[in-house]
Amino acid sequence: MSEIYVVAFNSTHYAIKFEKILLEAGLKIMMIPSPREIIASCGLSIRFDKADMDIVLDKIKNSEVEINGVFKLTKLPNVKEKQAEKII
């Protein structure tokens, strides 16, 4: 079982803006296509490490970026789809 954490956005503009904020904070992140398990208006999401969760949540709180949500995606054995859990 593996887990990934992503921030999904309401627009590409906010995804790019938040990517810049996280990179300036020194976080190791990756812009990815929004996983199909997440319903989002924007086709881009940012993947981040679980260890950086508090920093990511703080940056969301203190920025003017609108997000669709923060999600944990879990790959279950013998299941093609990932299980999505909305954290915020």
Side-chain angles (χ1 to χ4, degrees):
M1 182 167 57
S2 64
E3 299 173 342
I4 66 169
Y5 293 84
V6 299
V7 182
F9 300 89
N10 294 323
S11 79
T12 303
H13 170 76
Y14 289 124
I16 293 169
K17 182 176 180 179
F18 200 61
E19 177 187 40
K20 182 178 178 184
I21 290 169
L22 294 180
L23 289 174
E24 287 175 353
L27 300 186
K28 181 181 173 186
I29 60 165
M30 181 183 298
M31 185 77 76
I32 62 171
S34 291
R36 62 181 170 209
E37 294 84 358
I38 300 171
I39 299 171
S41 300
C42 173
L44 297 174
S45 293
I46 294 177
R47 181 178 177 170
F48 62 95
D49 292 334
K50 181 181 180 181
D52 295 328
M53 178 70 75
D54 289 342
I55 298 170
V56 170
L57 294 178
D58 182 64
K59 296 296 181 187
I60 291 169
K61 181 179 176 183
N62 294 308
S63 70
E64 296 179 3
V65 174
E66 294 180 19
I67 65 166
N68 182 279
V70 177
F71 297 87
K72 177 174 88 172
L73 297 168
T74 305
K75 173 77 175 139
L76 302 173
N78 303 321
V79 178
K80 188 173 183 178
E81 300 289 324
K82 295 179 181 81
Q83 181 180 14
E85 175 186 341
K86 190 170 186 176
I87 296 171
I88 63 167

